[in-house]
């Protein structure tokens, strides 16, 4: 038995309603337990957290950390890896090139990804765009990422079999079973839809597909796709709502489409991801403006809707998206001028291109403003998760800076004053007085994502929770505070101290196992054998195989909901 105590810390644990209370935390065999004084078992390890802030380990519910397009992102910018100061030897005799395979700022390698998350106090991150036919690769890459727990949402809504069935108006139950089979076969935590139907439509030379516009080949609309998938996930009792990258990403005037997407769920749970990119108006002389207030009001009025923001930060990054339609349109904007566009097995596609967000750019400045406005105008922090859509808006290592922007109005105003004057003139950001509290930060980076994903033993500090804990030294400079925690514990093991790694355990893989009629496999087999390169018998990933993929990491299946709509966030 392993017993430890974290002593004297000030806890922020929104799941259990704890807002700045001084308490000890007791840990036994990797789990948080009640006060063990009555058991008279002295702790083997005693961590002094007096005067420090204690939170559960951070959870990033949308971060591109595995899969084909993530690797393409790493390959597309070799200069980003070569120029990373962390790739240079800092000890005599240490070879620089030994570090190059896992460094970089925009899209770090697998090892560096796990290290940097842990160094900031994050203990879990989830890949939001796993293609079913590429699921093994995704799991292998996530399994090669040390320390952090992980999982992925499988992409649907553009795969040919789904669109064939939907276009033929096949029985909904068969479509629901196909969704269940896909989740199970790919060992996914949920379902992601990117530009519903639009990736497929691009292959038929459609250059845009609005919410109620018909696919030129299948005759279905994005609304049809959304309604089918949200209903299917509700009936399959998958905890995480449909994860939606809406139509018209980046298009001025897309506010109406975004709000229409919320209503397409017809009251069922729906999660709109990187919503900053879907919150653009057409006001002003340049016909580009902030739609943040309209989006925030729409979210506030619809309790079934949750979002993550996809905040942009200034500097070099690389954009990697399954939205080939959008990435083809953006290719002329690539900086440096190089890009990749691809497709795989009639399943989906991807576009990868480097991009530099510039403070002096009117559009980029307004994007930065819009993201912060959404954070600050949505009333319920439980339905807003902190993301940069890593690496699309910025690397995940930008989170401490983003936290300071949300918590410190004077700092936020200073940064706003340096931006393009026309963008400032169209902004209401300077008039927003709200500052996030430590309790709010614990919600949007820990408790909220855990609830949205159905992770009942993560994101909080109550008895029975995994002892994933971050301890921060109190500091008025919140960026410095959240950059280097005093202690980070993963499953009760001290893995980092003051931003320096001490050990690199293997994280676990979270996935769901929905109940579905396995008769659907005959239909999938027929389609696979007729159209795809792989054999149907090799598609589904078994539990023993996924354990091997993840280097022996723990399998952490998330139980599906006990009843329709039960325990929905």
């Amino acid at each position: 038995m392993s017993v430890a105590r974290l002593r004297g810390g000030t806890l922020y644990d929104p799941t259990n309603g704890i807002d700045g209370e001084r308490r000890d935390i007791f840990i036994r065999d990797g789990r948080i337990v009640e006060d063990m004084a009555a058991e008279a078992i002295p702790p083997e390890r005693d961590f002094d957290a007096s005067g420090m802030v204690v939170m559960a380990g951070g959870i990033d519910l949308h971060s591109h950390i595995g899969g084909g397009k993530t690797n393409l992102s790493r390959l597309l910018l070799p200069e980003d890896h070569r120029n990373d100061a962390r790739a240079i030897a800092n000890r005599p005799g240490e070879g620089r090139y030994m570090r190059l395979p896992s460094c970089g700022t925009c899209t770090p390698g697998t090892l560096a990804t796990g290290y940097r998350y842990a160094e900031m106090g994050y203990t879990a991150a989830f890949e939001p765009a796993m293609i079913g036919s590429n699921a093994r690769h995704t799991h292998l890459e996530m399994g090669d990422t040390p320390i952090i727990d992980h999982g992925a949402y499988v992409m649907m809504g553009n795969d040919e079999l789904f669109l064939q069935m939907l276009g033929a108006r096949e029985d909904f139950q068969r479509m629901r079973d196909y969704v269940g089979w896909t989740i199970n076969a790919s060992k996914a935590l949920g379902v992601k839809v990117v530009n519903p139907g639009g990736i497929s439509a691009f292959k038929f030379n459609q250059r845009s597909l609005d919410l109620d516009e018909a696919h030129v080949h299948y005759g279905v609309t994005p609304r049809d796709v959304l309604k089918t998938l949200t209903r299917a996930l509700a009936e399959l009792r998958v905890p995480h709502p449909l994860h939606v990258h809406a139509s018209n990403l980046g298009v001025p005037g897309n506010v109406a489409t975004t709000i229409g997407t919320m209503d397409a769920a017809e009251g069922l749970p729906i999660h709109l991801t990187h919503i900053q990119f879907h919150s653009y108006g057409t006001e002003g002389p340049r016909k580009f403006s902030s739609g943040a207030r309209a989006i925030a009001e729409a979210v506030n009025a619809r309790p079934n809707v949750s979002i993550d923001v996809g905040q942009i930060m200034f500097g070099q990054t690389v954009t990697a998206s399954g939205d080939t339609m959008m990435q083809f349109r953006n290719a002329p904007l690539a900086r440096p001028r190089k890009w990749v566009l691809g497709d795989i097995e009639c399943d989906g596609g991807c576009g990868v291109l480097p991009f530099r967000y510039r403070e002096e750019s009117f559009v980029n400045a307004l994007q930065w403003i819009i993201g912060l406005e959404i954070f600050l105008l949505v009333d319920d922090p439980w339905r807003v998760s902190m993301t940069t859509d890593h690496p699309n808006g910025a690397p995940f290592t930008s989170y401490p800076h983003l936290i300071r922007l949300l918590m410190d109005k004077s700092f936020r105003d200073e940064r706003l004053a340096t931006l393009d004057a026309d963008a400032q003139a169209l902004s209401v950001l300077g008039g927003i007085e709200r500052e996030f509290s430590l309790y709010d930060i614990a919600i949007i980076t820990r408790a909220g994502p855990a609830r949205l994903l159905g992770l009942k033993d993560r994101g909080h500090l109550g008895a029975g929770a995994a002892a994933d804990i971050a301890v921060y030294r109190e500091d008025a400079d919140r960026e410095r505070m959240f950059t280097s925690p005093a202690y980070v514990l993963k499953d009760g093991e001290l893995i980092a101290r003051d931003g320096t790694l001490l050990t690199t355990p293997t994280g676990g893989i979270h996935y769901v196992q929905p109940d579905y009629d396995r008769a659907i496999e005959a239909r999938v087999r027929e389609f696979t054998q007729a159209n795809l390169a792989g054999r149907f018998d090799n598609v589904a990933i078994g539990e023993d195989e996924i354990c091997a993929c993840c280097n022996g990491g723990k399998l952490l299946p998330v139980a599906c909901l006990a009843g329709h709509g039960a325990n929905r966030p």
Side-chain angles (χ1 to χ4, degrees):
M1 178 187 299
S2 173
V3 179
R5 177 176 64 174
L6 191 65
R7 175 169 43 85
T10 302
L11 275 58
Y12 292 87
D13 181 14
T15 300
N16 295 296
I18 300 173
D19 184 4
E21 296 180 23
R22 187 177 181 277
R23 295 190 183 187
D24 292 350
I25 295 177
F26 294 88
I27 302 164
R28 181 170 59 196
D29 297 332
R31 294 269 168 184
I32 296 173
V33 296
E34 299 288 356
D35 190 338
M36 298 185 64
E39 301 182 34
I41 302 174
E44 300 168 11
R45 295 165 296 155
D46 193 74
F47 302 102
D48 185 3
S50 300
M52 300 183 192
V53 169
V54 181
M55 296 182 180
I59 299 172
D60 193 344
L61 63 61
H62 186 109
S63 180
H64 295 281
I65 59 171
K69 69 178 179 294
T70 301
N71 241 7
L72 288 172
S73 302
R74 293 165 178 149
L75 293 168
L76 198 61
L77 285 179
E79 60 271 34
D80 178 52
H81 299 265
R82 287 195 302 267
N83 297 334
D84 187 343
R86 286 161 290 203
I88 300 173
N90 57 13
R91 292 193 298 268
E94 183 179 54
R96 176 174 186 262
Y97 293 98
M98 292 298 289
R99 288 189 179 189
L100 275 174
S102 195
C103 56
T105 299
C106 302
T107 46
T110 53
L111 302 182
T113 296
Y115 299 162
R116 293 177 195 173
Y117 265 120
E119 288 165 355
M120 293 193 307
Y122 273 72
T123 53
F126 295 89
E127 164 58 51
M130 173 175 67
I131 294 179
S133 56
N134 200 30
R136 278 184 179 81
H137 179 190
T138 303
H139 284 298
L140 282 164
E141 281 210 32
M142 292 190 299
D144 196 51
T145 302
I147 306 172
I148 58 174
D149 290 346
H150 52 270
Y153 323 134
V154 64
M155 287 174 62
M156 298 195 72
N158 282 285
D159 53 302
E160 297 303 310
L161 180 53
F162 177 87
L163 291 171
Q164 284 182 19
M165 296 173 73
L166 187 60
R169 300 295 187 259
E170 293 195 22
D171 182 71
F172 169 77
Q173 303 305 322
R174 285 172 59 79
M175 301 202 68
R176 179 202 63 192
D177 292 335
Y178 174 52
V179 173
W181 176 86
T182 302
I183 293 171
N184 188 63
S186 59
K187 292 295 179 286
L189 185 60
V191 171
K192 165 85 170 292
V193 61
V194 173
N195 188 356
I199 301 173
S200 171
F202 181 72
K203 302 174 192 177
F204 294 90
N205 210 31
Q206 273 185 283
R207 290 296 185 258
S208 64
L209 192 66
D210 208 351
L211 185 62
D212 292 303
E213 184 179 354
H215 188 295
V216 68
H217 182 73
Y218 292 109
V220 301
T221 67
R223 187 183 298 273
D224 295 330
V225 174
L226 293 165
K227 288 173 63 175
T228 302
L229 289 174
T230 51
R231 181 182 168 194
L233 291 178
E235 293 196 8
L236 291 167
R237 305 172 197 163
V238 174
H240 186 46
L242 180 64
H243 200 93
V244 180
H245 164 137
S247 309
N248 294 331
L249 181 144
V251 176
N254 60 14
V255 170
T257 298
T258 304
I259 295 173
T261 298
M262 298 178 192
D263 292 334
E266 297 182 341
L268 291 172
I270 187 170
H271 181 90
L272 275 70
T273 192
H274 44 61
I275 202 166
Q276 177 274 135
F277 290 105
H278 305 270
S279 303
Y280 302 155
T282 56
E283 289 74 27
R286 305 198 197 187
K287 304 303 181 185
F288 183 72
S289 60
S290 172
R293 187 174 295 280
I295 292 297
E297 289 174 353
V299 173
N300 291 338
R302 293 163 175 80
N304 63 307
V305 174
S306 59
I307 64 172
D308 63 79
V309 173
Q311 179 69 35
I312 76 133
M313 294 294 192
F314 300 112
Q316 180 69 50
T317 192
V318 58
T319 65
S321 174
D323 195 339
T324 48
M325 181 182 283
M326 177 268 294
Q327 291 292 70
F328 178 78
R329 184 174 65 243
N330 288 342
L333 304 176
R335 295 291 184 276
R337 293 298 297 273
K338 49 185 173 181
W339 54 281
V340 176
L341 209 66
D343 181 75
I344 181 170
E345 282 280 46
C346 305
D347 209 1
C350 74
V352 182
L353 57 100
F355 191 81
R356 183 172 183 82
Y357 293 100
R358 298 176 297 117
E359 294 173 310
E360 61 272 21
S361 161
F362 166 76
V363 171
N364 297 163
L366 201 51
Q367 289 177 301
W368 181 89
I369 288 166
I370 290 167
L372 292 174
E373 287 176 342
I374 292 170
F375 270 118
L376 296 163
L377 291 172
V378 172
D379 295 333
D380 183 4
W382 286 96
R383 294 191 286 126
V384 183
S385 292
M386 176 179 288
T387 65
T388 57
D389 187 21
H390 167 80
N392 291 294
F396 63 82
T397 46
S398 302
Y399 288 158
H401 183 73
L402 177 52
I403 288 172
R404 185 179 180 189
L405 288 168
L406 294 173
M407 297 190 72
D408 186 341
K409 175 173 168 51
S410 61
F411 177 69
R412 188 165 68 230
D413 289 345
E414 288 172 9
R415 298 293 297 125
L416 177 63
T418 66
L419 303 185
D420 178 271
D422 291 341
Q424 291 184 54
L426 289 172
S427 170
V428 300
L429 183 61
I432 300 175
E433 298 296 326
R434 183 179 179 186
E435 293 180 322
F436 275 42
S437 65
L438 287 169
Y439 192 79
D440 293 330
I441 295 299
I443 293 173
I444 67 173
T445 62
R446 277 113 168 129
R451 180 183 290 185
L452 283 167
L453 294 172
L455 308 178
K456 296 185 182 300
D457 65 345
R458 314 280 150 160
H460 71 95
L461 302 172
D468 294 353
I469 304 171
V471 182
Y472 301 94
R473 287 190 169 84
E474 182 66 61
D475 193 324
D477 183 335
R478 299 306 195 185
E479 181 173 354
R480 185 166 55 215
M481 173 178 169
F482 281 95
T483 295
S484 299
Y487 308 115
V488 182
L489 281 71
K490 179 75 184 78
D491 295 316
E493 181 179 4
L494 182 65
I495 60 169
R497 180 186 290 118
D498 294 318
T500 301
L501 284 176
L502 303 176
T503 185
T504 57
T506 301
I509 168 72
H510 294 267
Y511 61 97
V512 293
Q513 294 177 298
D515 189 19
Y516 63 94
D517 185 349
R518 296 184 180 276
I520 193 64
E521 292 179 2
R523 178 64 188 280
V524 183
R525 179 185 292 274
E526 177 187 8
F527 175 84
T528 301
Q529 292 179 173
N531 297 283
L532 305 185
R535 296 178 57 211
F536 173 80
D537 293 334
N538 296 334
V539 172
I541 303 173
E543 286 195 7
D544 56 340
E545 185 181 0
I546 201 170
C547 185
C549 280
C550 294
N551 293 322
K554 292 178 293 184
L555 301 179
L556 303 167
V558 175
C560 290
L561 300 176
H564 178 73
N567 299 320
R568 284 286 183 191

